[in-house]
Amino acid sequence: MTTHALAVVESMRYGDQLAKGAAAVQSPVPNRPIYHITHIDNLRGILARGGLFSDNTAALNNLTSTDIGMPGIKQRRRTTAVDCGPGGTPADYVPFYFGYRSPMLLSIHSGRVPTYQQGQEPVIYIVSSLAAVRNSGASAVFTEGNAGATFVDFHADDPEMCEKTIDWSLMMEKWWHDIPTDPNRASRRQAEYLVHKSFPVHLISAIVTNNESRATEAHNLLQESGVSIPVMVYPKWYY
């Protein structure tokens, strides 16, 4: 494991330190963690294929065992134009959030996804960092809100611009609901980092689960696949 990956994993052991960018790199811009959520049923396939793939690729090749996404939003993501970077649509990218306990996870937990009703318990986090992606040379863009929203701004990945644009203090808040003095909190909490086409397994820093049972399941899948990724149990990342 690289020094960078070890630093990210070590910071995860201290919970919120990871969200505060404890794993710093030699850069004027702090390193930041990024979070992808998926059902644990999908982990075997992710490991077998060597990574995550965009929604368009996954749909075309039937790669998703259990889909936790909101159908209407997923459809908009297939038609919304990304007007920077590699272009295409959000469905051509692997999506990550800048914070845990996302509004999407709350929708899952609350049973508001019509095509998925298993709740948040089987959902796992696939964790990486901005530095890992940038150092790999992968192409990425970021948004200031949900990439499937009717109105959203896309930006080609630029470390300094991303650092100035994303509301990092909000990403570390337990709750993110809109309030009268700030009616766009929920939208900003849904900002995304989108990695073009695919995201390789070797960029994953850790897998986080809600409980020990799911951690054991993830660990066993990793062993079967011959892949070494730390598995952490961190219920604070859930509702």
Side-chain angles (χ1 to χ4, degrees):
M1 186 180 295
T2 65
T3 301
H4 164 68
L6 286 169
V8 173
V9 170
E10 181 63 24
S11 67
M12 290 188 65
R13 296 194 177 106
Y14 295 93
D16 290 340
Q17 288 185 15
L18 179 62
K20 295 175 182 176
V25 294
Q26 297 302 313
S27 167
V29 176
N31 191 16
R32 303 284 188 177
I34 51 176
Y35 312 85
H36 177 92
I37 57 173
T38 190
H39 196 285
I40 197 166
D41 285 354
N42 299 320
L43 182 57
R44 186 189 301 276
I46 291 167
L47 297 172
R49 292 185 290 272
L52 294 146
F53 289 86
S54 70
D55 184 54
N56 276 341
T57 298
L60 183 64
N61 296 280
N62 195 28
L63 302 183
T64 304
S65 297
T66 301
D67 193 340
I68 62 174
M70 195 77 76
I73 294 175
K74 288 172 70 74
Q75 183 56 39
R76 284 202 302 272
R77 295 173 75 98
R78 294 180 179 128
T79 58
T80 299
V82 176
D83 57 358
C84 61
T89 73
D92 293 317
Y93 296 75
V94 179
F96 288 82
Y97 289 117
F98 294 106
Y100 50 81
R101 286 173 57 94
S102 66
M104 183 63 212
L105 186 63
L106 182 58
S107 293
I108 291 168
H109 174 56
S110 304
R112 296 201 297 266
V113 180
T115 52
Y116 173 79
Q117 293 295 308
Q118 297 180 39
Q120 67 174 350
E121 190 272 338
V123 174
I124 62 173
Y125 284 89
I126 292 176
V127 185
S128 186
S129 70
L130 293 178
V133 177
R134 289 164 177 164
N135 291 340
S136 76
S139 296
V141 301
F142 69 92
T143 72
E144 300 176 43
N146 189 318
T150 304
F151 301 102
V152 62
D153 291 325
F154 295 91
H155 306 281
D157 186 32
D158 175 86
E160 292 188 4
M161 183 179 183
C162 184
E163 182 64 22
K164 293 176 182 177
T165 302
I166 301 302
D167 188 343
W168 297 109
S169 61
L170 179 61
M171 297 304 167
M172 292 183 279
E173 293 288 338
K174 182 176 182 179
W175 293 105
W176 38 261
H177 297 89
D178 293 341
I179 57 177
T181 56
D182 190 352
N184 295 307
R185 281 165 53 87
S187 175
R188 297 201 307 279
R189 183 63 175 256
Q190 295 177 84
E192 296 182 49
Y193 189 75
L194 304 171
V195 182
H196 195 230
K197 296 294 187 183
S198 63
F199 185 89
V201 163
H202 73 264
L203 296 184
I204 300 174
S205 306
I207 293 170
V208 171
T209 71
N210 191 22
N211 54 53
E212 292 288 351
S213 176
R214 293 299 183 182
T216 298
E217 185 177 351
H219 180 72
N220 290 341
L221 289 169
L222 287 162
Q223 280 196 319
E224 291 173 15
S225 302
V227 177
S228 179
I229 299 172
V231 179
M232 310 290 183
V233 178
Y234 201 50
K236 284 181 63 177
W237 288 15
Y238 294 80
Y239 292 96

